[in-house]
Amino acid sequence: MSDDFRKSADSNAFQKKIEYPSRGAIYDRNGKLLVYNQPSFDIMVVMNEAKDHIDTLDLCQTLGITKEMFINRMNTIKDRNKNPGYSRYTQQVFMTQLDEHDFAVFREKMFRFPGFYIQRRSIRQYQYPYAAHVLGDVAEVSQRDIDDDDYYQQGDYIGKLGVERYYEKQLRGEKGIQILLRDAHGRIQGRYQNGKYDRRPVAGKNLTLSIDVELQALGERLMEGKIGSIVAIEPSTGEVLCMVSSPTYDPRIMTGRKRGKNHLALQRNVWKPLLNRSIMGQYPPGSTFKTTQALTYLTEGIITPTTAFSCHHGFSYRGLHVGCHGHGSPLALVDALSTSCNGYFCWGLYYMIGNRSKYGKPLNAMNRWRDYMVSMGFGYKTGIDLPGEKRGLIPNGDYYDNAYKGSWNGLTIISISIGQGEVNLTPLQIANLGATIANRGYYHVPHVVKKVEGEALDTTFTSRHYTMASREAYDWVVAGMRSSVLKGTCHALSAMPFAVCGKTGTAQNRGQDHSVFMGFAPMDNPKIAVAVYVENGGFGAEFGVPIGGLIMEKYLTGKLSPASESRAATFQARRIAYGSHNR
């Protein structure tokens, strides 16, 4: 670019006109359009051309604003603290997102308002009322966005949540620019050097999500009137098939000039519909966590598949009692998983933490236990391609040394063996546990984007992560989860037209217990792993199991049978009465 142009670029000899690219569209895994662009128009102003004799009242009436709003906006534009890129010779954003009707009204009268121009833009439109937490939304940049990336200037739009935020650089494209030449009176005379320095905009890249919008719709129906989450993953790839967070909202209310008002209402809602509980909710996993304990105890040689422990309505030792429901006793591993025996897994942890000949002291045993949990994807973020993910909590030996000043043993921490105590996981991590067991020992980092146009998927999402547990241990846990469906706590799924493996959870809580389910299907060559978490839903079999079964049936068969559709309608209608502790 010539030195003459550089020196004069911000003078009254030139007008730089930004041309905005079309933002990339978003599709579901089956090619259904989820997010697209619709024409919108911004009002721009060049301060050096805006004359003092403009009929301000007429301008305000035409745009449907007050005189105070006009004055405030003009002052904000000229405030270099709020608008560092201000130049009185370049176009500044005065008003955004006029629809076609308001644009037509303004265009007819624009000749009365010198210095004011129309700039064509586009706004996002969402085809369905689903997947708000996955899709996210687009809004005007903040000052922090501008400070972080010089691509943006005042009045630009940026992804704020979901994939709109995570994949912002791919979706936004590249701006174009026209350098227009003015005469001494400020009138446009054409393009500088016949457009030599102009640059055409480059459209953003389209995204194909791994989400199945029909499965997502079913999940959101089933979670109406409930607080919690459903996450389904394709085990062989780590692709997220649905991600439901309830309560949710319609993403279509987060577009246009009413976005700010609607966003504020959602922020103030005591049930926190903006919170993506699938990746931000940190919960006790309950008995779904017993699968991880079985894998650890088997691989470490603490138990064998035939090791049997007694359970007299729970674990009782040295005055400590952890309750359990009635079932046969003693029992070995497969039946312990099938019946969800608390006593069995408490005994396993007690023997592991107390095994001094193997570990030396409880702290070492605890850290070994922690290493297994971390290898299974717990205690840290999974790395999913969504902003805001939480890590949950997996304690280690130092954690308990600090908490109990070095005086603790397996009995002190016994509740972690059944997914209570200090252990917290996100619903995504529980679903990923199901996918890992389905794969018999490895997982892919979960992801909601299946394909970025013109790009290879990041190797972060295509690499396998193997756990520390043995393949043989996984085979025994699969057998236990299958037994749970055939004759145990997941028996409601035994009539499915495919072989389901499942594990219930009933997570203790200050109020009514949480209902949890984790499972996958088919048992061999699995296509889907599911986690369901319903706050205050009671036993895992009450909400978690049937909801998980409906999700599996819909995905694997393409539809619900008439009987299943009737059950889905029943669960859609069931509401849970929540108290203030859920807020």
Side-chain angles (χ1 to χ4, degrees):
M1 192 172 289
S2 71
D3 288 340
D4 288 345
F5 174 65
R6 290 182 188 277
K7 292 174 184 177
S8 305
D10 280 330
S11 74
N12 60 355
F14 297 96
Q15 177 177 313
K16 292 188 290 185
K17 182 179 179 182
I18 300 295
E19 292 188 298
Y20 286 91
S22 174
R23 194 169 176 89
I26 302 177
Y27 300 85
D28 91 332
R29 68 184 295 110
N30 298 312
K32 293 184 177 178
L33 181 63
L34 303 178
V35 187
Y36 59 97
N37 302 307
Q38 185 164 301
S40 174
F41 304 90
D42 293 349
I43 304 298
M44 311 296 289
V45 61
V46 178
M47 290 298 193
N48 198 51
E49 298 177 17
K51 307 301 181 184
D52 293 336
H53 60 267
I54 282 178
D55 187 336
T56 305
L57 181 61
D58 187 12
L59 176 64
C60 292
Q61 288 176 340
T62 302
L63 294 176
I65 61 176
T66 64
K67 186 174 182 179
E68 289 72 25
M69 291 169 67
F70 172 84
I71 294 171
N72 288 337
R73 183 59 193 153
M74 294 294 270
N75 288 337
T76 298
I77 290 171
K78 290 183 284 187
D79 186 339
R80 292 187 183 274
N81 290 323
K82 296 179 180 178
N83 186 17
Y86 171 69
S87 167
R88 62 194 181 99
Y89 300 110
T90 61
Q91 289 191 1
Q92 307 290 316
V93 177
F94 177 78
M95 192 172 180
T96 62
Q97 297 188 0
L98 271 69
D99 60 26
E100 294 201 31
H101 174 265
D102 292 339
F103 157 70
V105 171
F106 181 78
R107 183 174 58 180
E108 287 185 8
K109 302 175 71 173
M110 194 169 65
F111 69 92
R112 301 183 188 179
F113 313 125
F116 286 83
Y117 299 88
I118 290 171
Q119 179 169 265
R120 183 183 176 91
R121 296 286 291 273
S122 62
I123 57 173
R124 294 303 246 178
Q125 291 294 324
Y126 298 86
Q127 185 75 16
Y128 299 95
Y130 310 121
H133 296 99
V134 174
L135 296 172
D137 66 316
V138 173
E140 277 196 49
V141 291
S142 65
Q143 188 57 52
R144 182 175 178 178
D145 295 324
I146 296 171
D147 294 340
D148 288 345
D149 190 337
D150 59 10
Y151 174 90
Y152 302 104
Q153 61 186 34
Q154 205 74 33
D156 282 357
Y157 305 146
I158 191 172
K160 290 292 184 180
L161 296 167
V163 296
E164 293 275 25
R165 182 73 182 191
Y166 193 94
Y167 288 93
E168 166 66 15
K169 289 186 178 180
Q170 288 91 340
L171 286 166
R172 74 188 184 188
E174 298 176 20
K175 294 176 186 173
I177 189 170
Q178 288 185 22
I179 311 299
L180 305 176
L181 191 63
R182 305 171 185 268
D183 64 15
H185 302 286
R187 294 172 299 204
I188 300 298
Q189 297 301 299
R191 295 185 176 185
Y192 176 67
Q193 291 195 12
N194 295 318
K196 179 180 179 180
Y197 299 112
D198 291 355
R199 186 174 66 246
R200 292 183 62 81
V202 178
K205 296 178 178 180
N206 297 333
L207 301 183
T208 299
L209 301 190
S210 58
I211 299 293
D212 180 327
V213 72
E214 291 188 7
L215 193 67
Q216 182 76 22
L218 173 62
E220 294 191 20
R221 277 178 55 203
L222 295 172
M223 289 298 290
E224 286 182 18
K226 308 164 191 71
I227 296 176
S229 169
I230 303 171
V231 180
I233 296 174
E234 182 178 67
S236 62
T237 62
E239 293 175 4
V240 177
L241 302 172
C242 76
M243 178 177 282
V244 176
S245 178
S246 182
T248 185
Y249 58 95
D250 186 337
R252 295 175 297 188
I253 70 171
M254 300 289 272
T255 62
R257 292 168 63 189
K258 292 183 179 179
R259 179 200 179 271
K261 178 181 178 182
N262 292 334
H263 187 266
L264 184 61
L266 291 172
Q267 275 187 315
R268 291 175 173 173
N269 188 312
V270 295
W271 304 114
K272 301 180 181 178
L274 287 174
L275 180 70
N276 184 352
R277 288 171 167 84
S278 297
I279 62 172
M280 298 175 179
Q282 301 174 92
Y283 301 102
S287 294
T288 61
F289 201 61
K290 292 171 183 173
T291 56
T292 69
Q293 304 310 286
L295 292 164
T296 303
Y297 305 158
L298 283 168
T299 306
E300 283 293 283
I302 304 302
I303 63 171
T304 70
T306 58
T307 299
F309 293 124
S310 296
C311 178
H312 302 292
H313 291 280
F315 172 84
S316 297
Y317 190 64
R318 294 185 179 178
L320 176 67
H321 180 73
V322 178
C324 189
H325 53 278
H327 56 71
S329 175
L331 35 65
L333 178 63
V334 169
D335 285 339
L337 286 168
S338 178
T339 61
S340 198
C341 172
N342 284 344
Y344 190 97
F345 296 96
C346 288
W347 280 116
L349 185 73
Y350 174 75
Y351 285 123
M352 180 173 178
I353 300 300
N355 192 332
R356 292 183 179 273
S357 64
K358 187 175 180 68
Y359 304 109
K361 57 183 179 178
L363 182 141
N364 294 337
M366 186 67 211
N367 285 342
R368 183 66 173 170
W369 178 93
R370 182 274 320 273
D371 291 344
Y372 272 87
M373 299 305 107
V374 170
S375 79
M376 295 177 196
F378 310 134
Y380 294 89
K381 298 176 182 179
T382 67
I384 191 171
D385 50 348
L386 289 172
E389 183 185 13
K390 301 299 183 183
R391 61 184 289 176
L393 175 62
I394 293 293
N396 59 17
D398 291 335
Y399 180 96
Y400 288 121
D401 263 3
N402 292 331
Y404 297 104
K405 297 182 171 40
S407 180
W408 58 277
N409 57 34
L411 294 178
T412 315
I413 63 171
I414 203 71
S415 60
I416 66 173
S417 67
I418 56 172
Q420 298 288 163
E422 292 74 27
V423 172
N424 275 325
L425 307 182
T426 65
L428 174 65
Q429 289 172 327
I430 299 173
N432 195 47
L433 169 61
T436 306
I437 299 171
N439 289 333
R440 277 63 165 180
Y442 70 88
Y443 66 90
H444 293 272
V445 172
H447 48 286
V448 297
V449 169
K450 184 180 178 73
K451 181 182 178 183
V452 179
E453 181 185 11
E455 290 186 14
L457 195 63
D458 194 310
T459 55
T460 299
F461 305 122
T462 58
S463 304
R464 290 184 177 185
H465 296 260
Y466 286 89
T467 78
M468 291 171 60
S470 69
R471 170 61 192 249
E472 183 183 11
Y474 276 100
D475 288 339
W476 283 108
V477 168
V478 169
M481 292 176 67
R482 180 60 182 154
S483 178
S484 180
V485 172
L486 294 177
K487 60 178 183 178
T489 57
C490 297
H491 185 65
L493 302 178
S494 62
M496 286 287 187
F498 40 80
V500 180
C501 295
K503 184 72 196 74
T504 53
T506 304
Q508 294 175 4
N509 175 53
R510 284 175 292 173
Q512 173 83 340
D513 292 342
H514 302 319
S515 179
V516 196
F517 169 76
M518 178 271 292
F520 61 90
M523 181 173 73
D524 299 316
N525 193 24
K527 302 296 185 187
I528 183 171
V530 182
V532 180
Y533 209 106
V534 180
E535 293 189 25
N536 301 142
F539 292 116
E542 188 168 348
F543 280 97
V545 169
I547 288 176
L550 290 168
I551 293 292
M552 290 178 177
E553 180 183 346
K554 170 67 175 175
Y555 185 70
L556 292 175
T557 68
K559 61 182 180 180
L560 295 180
S561 68
S564 294
E565 184 57 56
S566 178
R567 281 196 299 275
T570 299
F571 276 98
Q572 182 180 359
R574 288 184 68 180
R575 303 294 196 260
I576 297 175
Y578 290 101
S580 60
H581 63 276
N582 295 96
R583 297 180 183 180

